[in-house]
Amino acid sequence: WGAVPAGAFGAWLGARRMGLRLGPLADTAAPGLLVAQAIGRLGNYFNQELFGAPTTLPWGLQIDADVLRAQGMDYPAGTLFHPTFLYELLWNLAGAALLIWLDRRFRLGHGRVFWLYVVVYTTGRLWIEALRIDPAEMIGPFRLNVWTSIIVGLGALVAFIVVGRRNPGRETT
């Protein structure tokens, strides 16, 4: 969760040094961030991590027994699990395409594509986190990542609306 704000801070510093506005820069980067995050999820496949609950779906993923034991899980041999990393990979690619389409259709600007990126990403994390069974910090009935997705997603939605009201349309320069 810290990579995006830290990266945004670094981008802000770099943009400021170069005399560029952060909004257009963030809008340009947003679809690429989703594609990069999608590619990064392939590492979760090779590491056999970030999988979900058992499933009988034909695309279920088989996890090595040693990996399951290391996480304190005891499932019968041959159990298939939801490949949540794959769900997030596909969600992120679809989200990148959606951002590009929405920007072209509605000529967003002033950082609104970036705020939509955050909304799309956190929405995906909400339902994907709900499928996961690995040990996680719980706050009440939900995983910490679910609460973080809700808070960050709502904040991004508010920012999208506020920026859109203050700056309708795309930058002219």
Side-chain angles (χ1 to χ4, degrees):
W1 284 107
V4 173
F9 179 70
W12 175 75
L13 287 175
R16 192 171 163 167
R17 277 196 171 158
M18 300 294 292
L20 301 171
R21 292 190 319 257
L22 183 60
L25 180 66
D27 285 344
T28 301
L33 288 172
L34 280 171
V35 172
Q37 287 173 307
I39 293 168
R41 289 298 171 212
L42 291 173
N44 301 130
Y45 169 74
F46 294 110
N47 292 333
Q48 294 191 37
E49 58 190 10
L50 304 184
F51 53 89
T55 184
T56 58
L57 294 170
W59 57 82
L61 175 69
Q62 190 164 356
I63 303 295
D64 291 340
D66 293 339
V67 172
L68 293 171
R69 276 193 296 277
Q71 293 189 26
M73 298 179 192
D74 185 28
Y75 288 95
T79 300
L80 300 178
F81 298 89
H82 280 284
T84 55
F85 67 87
L86 177 62
Y87 299 161
E88 188 169 343
L89 183 154
L90 296 172
W91 178 267
N92 288 346
L93 291 177
L98 177 67
L99 291 181
I100 292 168
W101 180 80
L102 287 170
D103 186 36
R104 288 185 178 177
R105 171 76 171 86
F106 297 105
R107 300 197 43 80
L108 303 170
H110 303 281
R112 289 186 292 167
V113 177
F114 177 80
W115 292 120
L116 278 180
Y117 147 71
V118 176
V119 170
V120 167
Y121 180 73
T122 57
T123 301
R125 286 296 296 264
L126 271 174
W127 68 269
I128 292 166
E129 283 290 331
L131 292 173
R132 290 183 46 198
I133 59 170
D134 56 308
E137 184 73 31
M138 300 292 286
I139 299 176
F142 300 117
R143 298 163 70 95
L144 176 60
N145 283 338
V146 170
W147 287 113
T148 305
S149 291
I150 291 168
I151 293 166
V152 172
L154 288 174
L157 183 59
V158 168
F160 175 80
I161 292 167
V162 168
V163 169
R165 287 185 179 165
R166 289 185 182 167
N167 303 298
R170 190 171 292 189
E171 296 87 346
T172 56
T173 60

